[in-house]
Amino acid sequence: QVRLVESGGGLVQAGGSLRLSCAASGRTFSSNVMGWFRQAPGKEREFVAGLRWSGGNTYYEDSVRGRFTISTDNAKNMVFLQMNSLKPEDTAVYYCAADVRHLFGLYRAPKEYDYWGQGTQVTVTS
């Protein structure tokens, strides 16, 4: 079992920055990939960024590449999402997720992830 708790969401003006945090506890060593997803009202949950613990390879959704950065603090079992140059279309509930099944690759579909946090709201005003 892996428990994930997000924090750091809030209200920010367009062009601003936020840093989301995800604290992992439990069987964290079983996680192969950590991902950030978001879900806006009336839309499906979508992949934002992901990172493989082994090797540290990172992946980003096209619309956030160059603006968002995923990183980890392995010693503290923390995953971060630094979000810069925020846009109103980035408004959504952001979720941290853990993939414990796949030893290789990085998957973007939510169904490939096994554990989820409760989400944190990010609102970007124009």
Side-chain angles (χ1 to χ4, degrees):
Q1 190 81 5
V2 177
R3 184 168 180 261
L4 304 172
V5 179
E6 302 97 334
S7 61
L11 180 68
V12 64
Q13 286 190 330
S17 298
L18 282 175
R19 188 192 195 208
L20 305 183
S21 299
C22 173
S25 60
R27 294 174 60 89
T28 56
F29 58 87
S30 65
S31 300
N32 299 306
V33 172
M34 297 299 297
W36 283 99
F37 290 76
R38 65 186 180 187
Q39 188 166 18
K43 294 188 177 182
E44 294 186 352
R45 192 169 297 189
E46 65 173 357
F47 175 85
V48 174
L51 178 146
R52 289 200 63 88
W53 285 112
S54 62
N57 301 74
T58 57
Y59 303 85
Y60 296 94
E61 192 263 334
D62 287 344
S63 69
V64 307
R65 187 175 293 113
R67 299 189 297 123
F68 291 10
T69 303
I70 186 172
S71 62
T72 63
D73 182 333
N74 291 6
K76 297 181 179 179
N77 288 327
M78 298 284 294
V79 183
F80 306 100
L81 186 68
Q82 177 67 42
M83 305 186 296
N84 299 328
S85 302
L86 282 161
K87 304 175 181 180
E89 51 263 44
D90 295 318
T91 295
V93 177
Y94 282 71
Y95 298 90
C96 176
D99 169 8
V100 304
R101 281 176 282 161
H102 301 99
L103 297 179
F104 303 99
L106 190 145
Y107 295 84
R108 297 168 184 256
K111 66 181 177 68
E112 304 297 344
Y113 289 75
D114 307 285
Y115 298 99
W116 293 84
Q118 82 289 351
T120 185
Q121 176 70 46
V122 171
T123 303
V124 184
T125 60
S126 57

